[in-house]
């Protein structure tokens, strides 16, 4: 039994078996072999097995994310058929009399280096694809069937760190908990863990070479500890806590269908933050009054080309239809900063959080923006859509957005495509927007405060820097004063103001927000009912 | 041997998926199809070699087709380039 401590990001408890995800290459040992032809045959069988896996992945992805996004697996299949690649492996086995795994790994490295050395960012990124197929082939050749992100049973995921696209790719039903060596409380993995009700520990000082897939573990997100190979006592204790948690959840379920109203009768809208179509179910299960933040960038992540207007339209339409009459606020593209996508070719920035991101990309590259706006406007007729623009710092930006929106509407009219005029609002997440919120309130229909970014910009603290977690005080009085100012300015012009950042779900502040006059709180689906409970206790 | 020059119009050049489709297209013919860029050449049925040329938007490539069905192959490959790159 070994115990480690880490920083909990979601206070849940899980018991189960571990799947270790390693980013680094598998360690393959060079062995001299007597019969190279046997090794060649092993590679041939491995290729066949890998092709079958990729075909299955491709078919799964087509259903789940559509053909365009699934194409990456088709490309992987084609790479695995590549004559040069396979010949290099066979030649190495025969010439050096080495084992199959080693020849595959070395050949994979060589080809991957060729791509990494190219002076084209797109092709550089293909190095990862070659690595990916080589790792798969090594696994198939060595008979190690563990297929990275596609584990069969619900498991506790242990990794060095997880990228947003890795987290997106996983089947959420099969994740019991996350345990990572790195990562910060505000990283996307943490946010996703909170959204999906998954116990998660970050900053756990593990030696990943000593943790193996298949080990049993207990993750306790309340105590902030993870125990590998726990004894009977620890397991029983954990099971008891899980049962208690479930009873608590049961109680919360009883709040379903009740209003979000204080004892003195003030009503607050409680909406859900979602990151994809799959999350709409979570939102409804938890009785969300609407969607307060649909992070549209998830349509752009985990793929290698822009989503088309049609793909986006279908996604938006589906969410709107599923939510029926309920309000759905879709935030336009918020790529950049900690959310990087290769095909945007954004280039490396010294200071991405203060860099080329979100609305700045949309205004500089209006083609990308227009495609999204067209899809959004076409979707307006299928439900109650509001559009929200991120990272606003000036009134000129809002004017520019409206000019582009005007062009899009004109185009649609010419094409005789019907649409409704949606509510249009902005994220307030820069101190600049707070200071001019009086003027902005006259231009838009609503404000939604993105407290994560607003806090990082106001306190000058990088959200991704885990060293600064101790300095990051989300309850800083400067932030609370700003939220008051934003709310007052919205109300002055008859507009509404909400909070869609992490702070909205902070039950210690709920009373304060309600007293400030906040009209809406948009939170992870799992926080909707606890928040309702809290609101109903306020006098 | 049949030959034509082509200027790439696709924004990301000969990127992974279309390169894969090109491999499939080239395999339909008996003739050998070679893509030549800046003196480097790659046989069109070899995906990684084609990608390794790093053909970008605006680049000119020479396409050489040689073999029994070179007339039909050249025509087919040319049409493929026009609709994909």
């Amino acid at each position: 039994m070994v115990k480690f401590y880490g920083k909990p990001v979601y206070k849940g408890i899980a018991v189960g078996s571990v799947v270790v995800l390693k980013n680094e290459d598998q360690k393959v040992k060079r062995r001299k072999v007597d019969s190279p032809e046997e090794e060649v045959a092993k590679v041939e069988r491995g290729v066949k097995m890998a092709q079958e896996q990729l075909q299955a992945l491709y078919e799964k992805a087509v259903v789940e994310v559509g053909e365009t996004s699934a194409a990456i697996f088709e490309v992987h299949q084609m790479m695995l058929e590549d004559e040069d690649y396979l010949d290099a492996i066979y030649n190495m086995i025969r010439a050096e009399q080495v084992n199959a795994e080693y020849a595959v790994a070395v050949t994979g490295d060589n080809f991957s280096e060729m791509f990494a050395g190219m002076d084209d960012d797109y092709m550089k990124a293909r190095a990862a694809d070659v690595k990916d197929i080589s790792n798969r082939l090594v696994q198939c050749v060595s008979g190690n069937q563990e297929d990275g992100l596609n584990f069969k049973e619900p498991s506790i995921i242990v990794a060095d760190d997880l990228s947003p696209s890795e987290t997106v790719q996983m089947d959420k039903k099969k994740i019991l908990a996350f345990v990572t060596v790195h990562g910060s409380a505000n990283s996307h993995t943490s946010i996703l863990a909170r959204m999906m009700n998954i116990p998660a520990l970050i900053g756990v000082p593990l030696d990943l070479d000593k943790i193996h897939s298949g080990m049993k573990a207990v993750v306790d997100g309340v105590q902030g500890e993870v125990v590998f190979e726990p004894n009977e006592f620890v397991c029983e204790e954990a099971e008891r806590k899980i049962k208690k948690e479930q009873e608590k959840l049961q109680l919360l379920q009883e709040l379903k269908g009740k209003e979000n109203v204080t004892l003195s009768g003030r009503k607050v809208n409680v909406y859900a933050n979602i990151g994809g179509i799959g999350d709409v179910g979570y939102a409804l299960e938890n009785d969300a009054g609407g969607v307060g933040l649909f992070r549209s960038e998830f349509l752009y992540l985990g793929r290698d080309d822009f989503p088309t207007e049609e793909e986006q339209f279908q996604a938006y339409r589906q969410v709107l239809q599923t939510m029926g009459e309920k309000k759905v606020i879709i935030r336009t593209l918020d790529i950049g900063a900690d959310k990087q996508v290769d095909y945007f070719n954004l280039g490396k920035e010294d200071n991405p959080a203060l860099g080329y991101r979100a609305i700045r990309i949309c205004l500089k590259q209006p083609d990308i923006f227009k495609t999204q706006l067209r899809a959004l406007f076409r979707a307006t007729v299928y439900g109650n859509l509001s559009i929200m623009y991120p990272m606003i710092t000036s009134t000129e930006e809002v004017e520019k957005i409206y000019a582009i929106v005007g062009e899009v509407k004109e185009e649609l009219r010419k094409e005789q495509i019907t649409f409704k005029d949606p509510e249009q609002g902005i994220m307030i997440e820069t101190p600049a927007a707070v200071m001019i919120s009086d003027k902005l309130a006259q231009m838009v229909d609503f404000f939604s405060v993105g407290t994560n970014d607003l806090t990082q910009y106001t306190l000058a603290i990088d959200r991704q820097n885990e060293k600064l977690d101790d300095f990051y005080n989300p309850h800083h009085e400067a932030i609370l004063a700003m939220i008051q100012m934003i709310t007052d300015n919205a109300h002055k012009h008859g507009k509404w103001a909400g909070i869609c950042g992490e702070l909205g779900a902070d039950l210690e502040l709920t009373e304060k927000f309600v007293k400030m006059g906040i009209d809406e709180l948009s939170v992870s689906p799992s926080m909707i009912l606890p928040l309702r409970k809290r609101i109903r206790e306020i006098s | 041997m049949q030959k034509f020059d082509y200027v790439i119009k696709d924004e990301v050049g000969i990127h992974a998926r279309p390169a894969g489709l090109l491999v499939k297209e080239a395999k339909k013919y008996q003739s050998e199809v070679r893509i030549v860029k800046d003196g480097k050449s790659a046989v069109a049925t070899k995906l990684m070699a084609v990608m390794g040329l790093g053909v970008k938007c605006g680049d000119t490539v020479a396409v050489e087709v040689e073999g029994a069905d070179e007339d039909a192959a050249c025509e087919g490959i040319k049409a493929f380039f026009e609709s994909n790159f």
Side-chain angles (χ1 to χ4, degrees):
Chain A
M1 194 168 89
V2 238
K3 192 190 273 190
F4 296 92
Y5 293 92
K7 186 171 174 152
V9 289
Y10 181 80
K11 296 187 192 322
I13 296 164
V15 181
S17 65
V18 166
V19 168
V20 183
L21 298 182
K22 287 190 183 171
N23 292 337
E24 75 225 80
D25 301 330
Q26 294 144 306
K27 292 194 177 63
V28 174
K29 285 208 178 76
R30 185 181 206 272
R31 265 189 306 114
K32 196 108 177 130
V33 294
D34 297 330
S35 162
E37 288 317 308
E38 257 175 45
E39 298 298 307
V40 168
K42 259 184 168 177
V43 175
E44 284 167 348
R45 283 196 300 272
V47 168
K48 223 176 133 200
M49 191 192 288
Q51 291 286 13
E52 282 164 11
Q53 286 179 0
L54 286 166
Q55 183 61 31
L57 266 183
Y58 173 73
E59 283 162 14
K60 177 169 178 272
V62 166
V63 177
E64 287 179 2
V65 293
E67 208 176 329
T68 322
S69 309
I72 184 67
F73 299 114
E74 208 181 13
V75 171
H76 281 192
Q77 279 180 302
M78 290 176 186
M79 284 180 153
L80 256 184
E81 280 170 13
D82 189 80
E83 290 167 34
D84 288 341
Y85 175 75
L86 293 175
D87 283 348
I89 295 170
Y90 299 146
N91 288 342
M92 184 165 180
I93 292 174
R94 288 181 179 126
E96 299 184 27
Q97 299 209 307
V98 289
N99 53 321
E101 294 92 329
Y102 182 76
V104 172
V106 171
T107 306
D109 285 345
N110 291 343
F111 275 77
S112 145
E113 266 161 36
M114 171 188 91
F115 284 113
M118 287 170 75
D119 63 346
D120 174 337
D121 286 338
Y122 173 81
M123 285 300 173
K124 270 190 182 140
R126 301 286 69 76
D129 290 317
V130 182
K131 276 241 160 83
D132 202 354
I133 61 156
S134 301
N135 284 342
R136 183 180 299 281
L137 189 51
V138 169
Q139 276 171 6
C140 287
V141 168
S142 63
N144 177 1
Q145 284 281 15
E146 202 66 71
D147 180 12
L149 302 173
N150 294 288
F151 29 90
K152 289 178 193 73
E153 286 184 10
S155 307
I156 294 170
I157 313 302
V158 178
D160 188 53
D161 200 358
L162 292 163
S163 69
S165 52
E166 273 173 325
T167 341
V168 166
Q169 275 180 51
M170 292 181 206
D171 181 348
K172 292 171 191 173
K173 289 195 189 77
K174 291 187 183 155
I175 307 168
L176 293 176
F178 289 122
V179 176
T180 65
V181 179
H182 294 103
S184 94
N186 287 296
S187 68
H188 274 267
T189 310
S190 305
I191 292 172
L192 277 167
R194 279 191 281 257
M195 184 162 84
M196 303 185 295
N197 279 339
I198 292 169
L201 282 185
I202 58 168
V204 186
L206 294 174
D207 179 353
L208 288 184
D209 287 334
K210 296 199 175 126
I211 308 296
H212 305 289
S213 294
M215 267 186 176
K216 195 170 182 185
V218 170
V219 178
D220 185 335
V222 184
Q223 303 293 329
E225 58 184 38
V226 51
V227 182
F228 292 97
E229 305 286 18
N231 60 27
E232 228 170 276
F233 174 74
V234 172
C235 285
E236 276 171 20
E237 180 73 9
E239 300 281 2
R240 198 179 53 77
K241 283 185 187 164
I242 291 173
K243 214 176 145 210
K244 221 172 138 193
E245 273 298 302
Q246 280 168 345
E247 282 166 7
K248 203 168 131 195
L249 275 177
Q250 191 86 40
L251 190 79
L252 285 173
Q253 294 290 326
E254 288 165 18
L255 285 165
K256 270 196 175 182
K258 302 264 167 67
E259 273 189 303
N260 307 301
V261 63
T262 64
L263 294 171
S264 58
R266 205 176 107 65
K267 283 182 196 166
V268 183
N269 286 323
V270 179
Y271 292 166
N273 292 342
I274 65 169
I277 297 170
D279 302 327
V280 179
Y282 289 111
L284 289 174
E285 253 169 56
N286 288 287
D287 209 16
V291 171
L293 169 63
F294 178 92
R295 300 184 179 92
S296 66
E297 55 277 9
F298 277 71
L299 288 167
Y300 296 79
L301 294 171
R303 51 188 295 147
D304 59 6
D305 204 355
F306 291 98
T308 62
E309 177 185 323
E310 191 59 27
E311 273 176 78
Q312 295 193 47
F313 164 69
Q314 293 299 349
Y316 303 146
R317 192 194 53 151
Q318 207 178 326
V319 174
L320 286 166
Q321 285 180 330
T322 314
M323 292 302 291
E325 293 288 294
K326 293 178 174 173
K327 193 193 281 291
V328 176
I329 302 174
I330 298 181
R331 178 177 70 188
T332 60
L333 181 62
D334 189 12
I335 288 290
D338 57 330
K339 284 164 277 183
Q340 289 291 335
V341 178
D342 292 340
Y343 61 85
F344 272 75
N345 287 320
L346 295 179
K348 207 157 170 55
E349 289 184 279
D350 287 339
N351 222 336
L354 302 182
Y356 189 50
R357 57 172 292 199
I359 203 69
R360 299 169 181 181
I361 297 176
C362 291
L363 292 176
K364 274 278 195 191
Q365 289 168 267
D367 286 349
I368 298 175
F369 195 30
K370 272 187 160 175
T371 304
Q372 183 170 34
L373 287 172
R374 280 182 60 101
L376 284 168
F377 271 83
R378 282 173 59 194
T380 52
V381 292
Y382 293 93
N384 184 0
L385 174 69
S386 300
I387 303 177
M388 177 159 75
Y389 306 106
M391 272 300 283
I392 299 299
T393 59
S394 71
T395 54
E396 288 78 15
E397 282 162 0
V398 179
E399 278 162 11
K400 278 184 195 153
I401 291 168
Y402 284 168
I404 295 172
V405 166
E407 286 171 32
V408 165
K409 283 162 69 174
E410 192 52 39
E411 277 173 33
L412 292 175
R413 266 188 216 108
K414 272 193 192 139
E415 294 164 39
Q416 300 192 319
I417 295 170
T418 50
F419 60 89
K420 291 192 292 197
D421 264 318
E423 241 192 355
Q424 294 179 82
I426 55 173
M427 295 274 295
I428 303 285
E429 50 193 331
T430 63
V434 177
M435 298 313 289
I436 60 166
S437 52
D438 186 19
K439 282 187 183 161
L440 290 169
Q442 297 170 51
M443 306 176 79
V444 302
D445 297 317
F446 65 91
F447 287 155
S448 188
V449 188
T451 51
N452 304 17
D453 272 330
L454 184 59
T455 309
Q456 90 161 340
Y457 294 136
T458 304
L459 303 184
I461 283 178
D462 179 355
R463 279 165 62 185
Q464 301 295 310
N465 188 339
E466 51 198 286
K467 275 191 213 147
L468 299 176
D469 277 359
D470 288 344
F471 294 91
Y472 186 90
N473 172 12
H475 293 190
H476 197 291
E477 58 182 325
I479 307 299
L480 299 176
M482 283 174 152
I483 295 173
Q484 183 68 68
M485 183 174 175
I486 295 157
T487 313
D488 291 345
N489 281 328
H491 290 172
K492 189 169 145 193
H493 299 287
K495 310 296 167 68
W496 63 266
I499 297 177
C500 66
E502 294 276 308
L503 218 50
D506 191 328
L507 300 178
E508 286 174 36
L509 293 174
T510 310
E511 182 160 8
K512 198 161 253 170
F513 291 146
V514 171
K515 302 249 149 97
M516 280 180 181
I518 279 287
D519 303 286
E520 177 242 28
L521 293 166
S522 190
V523 298
S524 305
S526 62
M527 282 308 293
I528 289 172
L529 292 173
L531 186 57
R532 173 171 301 165
K533 185 166 185 274
R534 182 74 198 93
I535 290 170
R536 292 172 66 87
E537 290 162 359
I538 295 171
S539 55
Chain B
M1 188 182 76
Q2 294 285 326
K3 196 181 157 185
F4 67 89
D5 285 340
Y6 187 84
V7 182
I8 304 296
K9 295 171 196 74
D10 189 275
E11 265 178 42
V12 275
I14 302 188
H15 64 284
R17 186 155 191 248
L21 295 176
L22 172 64
V23 169
K24 276 190 182 165
E25 179 71 20
K27 280 186 176 166
K28 286 186 194 162
Y29 307 101
Q30 289 170 16
S31 301
E32 185 175 86
V33 180
R34 274 186 309 274
I35 317 287
V36 187
K37 188 207 141 198
D38 300 337
K40 278 202 295 180
S41 92
V43 178
T45 49
K46 296 180 174 181
L47 179 63
M48 298 217 216
V50 172
M51 288 168 69
L53 290 175
V55 178
K56 283 184 253 183
C57 185
D59 285 350
T60 303
V61 292
V63 181
E64 300 171 356
V65 186
E66 193 164 15
D69 57 352
E70 62 185 35
D71 289 340
C74 186
E75 211 165 289
I77 297 288
K78 197 169 180 181
F80 179 87
F81 265 77
E82 275 157 7
S83 57
N84 288 280
F85 303 124

